[in-house]
Amino acid sequence: ALSVALFSVRVGHHVALTMVLAPLLALALPARWGMRASLLPPLVLSTLALWLWHAPDFYTAAFTHPAIYWLMQLSLIGSFTWLWLGLLRSHAAMAAGISALSSAIQMGLLGALLVFAPNPLYVPHLGTTMGFGLLPLEDQQLAGLIMWVPSALPYLVGGVVLVAAWLARSERQSAGGERRQG
């Protein structure tokens, strides 16, 4: 019920789905489900799902019918589980690192747009936030901050770790090749 009243709580719910549940599901899937293909399709699909469901009209539609609400939840958890599966099991550390950093950037961008929007964007929350001591725009700004910082952190940290591992491996391979030639 709180996520119906406050956009910031709904965003927190989505962060829990995409940054906690999705990677745990990816880790729980059988090892044979490893990524052999490009990370681009899950990256594009998860990005589209995130931006689509945070477009004001689509977001509002999820309040009008249970099937649309569940489509929102399942598309977010499904696309982000696929992305995390690729990030966690990719054999291409650099591609996984770039994908993770791209996810952090686009999530941060959406969060920033919510923070700096001059007016509230989400009709379902216009009359529900005051009871919690927040103006609708303040609730939206809080939601944007949640999306901008905490939800981007796992991707940011993961991306930096993956890129650093790739760079270290490349450096070791380069040093090994120089020793053999000398």
Side-chain angles (χ1 to χ4, degrees), residues 20-182:
V20 178
L21 184 61
L24 290 175
L25 284 172
L27 288 170
L29 290 170
R32 67 181 181 276
W33 287 32
M35 280 300 279
R36 289 172 188 75
S38 168
L39 279 160
L40 189 59
L43 176 62
V44 169
L45 187 62
S46 62
T47 299
L48 286 174
L50 181 73
W51 283 80
L52 173 84
W53 290 117
H54 289 89
D57 290 342
F58 284 98
Y59 182 85
T60 300
F63 278 80
T64 63
H65 196 279
I68 298 172
Y69 170 82
W70 284 107
L71 180 60
M72 172 197 275
Q73 304 307 310
L74 293 173
S75 64
L76 286 170
I77 192 66
S79 64
F80 278 85
T81 300
W82 188 23
L83 177 60
W84 277 106
L85 184 66
L87 294 175
L88 295 169
R89 297 189 182 173
S90 176
H91 299 293
M94 185 60 157
I98 290 170
S99 296
L101 292 173
S102 298
S103 293
I105 290 167
Q106 63 87 20
M107 195 162 287
L109 179 60
L110 179 55
L113 289 173
L114 294 173
V115 168
F116 294 114
N119 300 305
L121 300 173
Y122 299 97
V123 173
H125 302 292
L126 291 179
T128 60
T129 63
M130 294 298 287
F132 298 93
L134 293 170
L135 295 172
L137 185 58
E138 293 170 334
D139 179 43
Q140 180 178 298
Q141 291 168 335
L142 178 58
L145 285 173
I146 291 168
M147 187 176 290
W148 192 351
V149 180
S151 67
L153 280 177
Y155 287 135
L156 189 58
V157 169
V160 168
V161 166
L162 288 165
V163 169
W166 179 82
L167 289 171
R169 188 169 45 250
S170 293
E171 190 174 300
R172 283 192 307 272
Q173 290 173 345
S174 178
E178 289 174 7
R179 274 188 237 127
R180 278 184 243 132
Q181 291 178 357

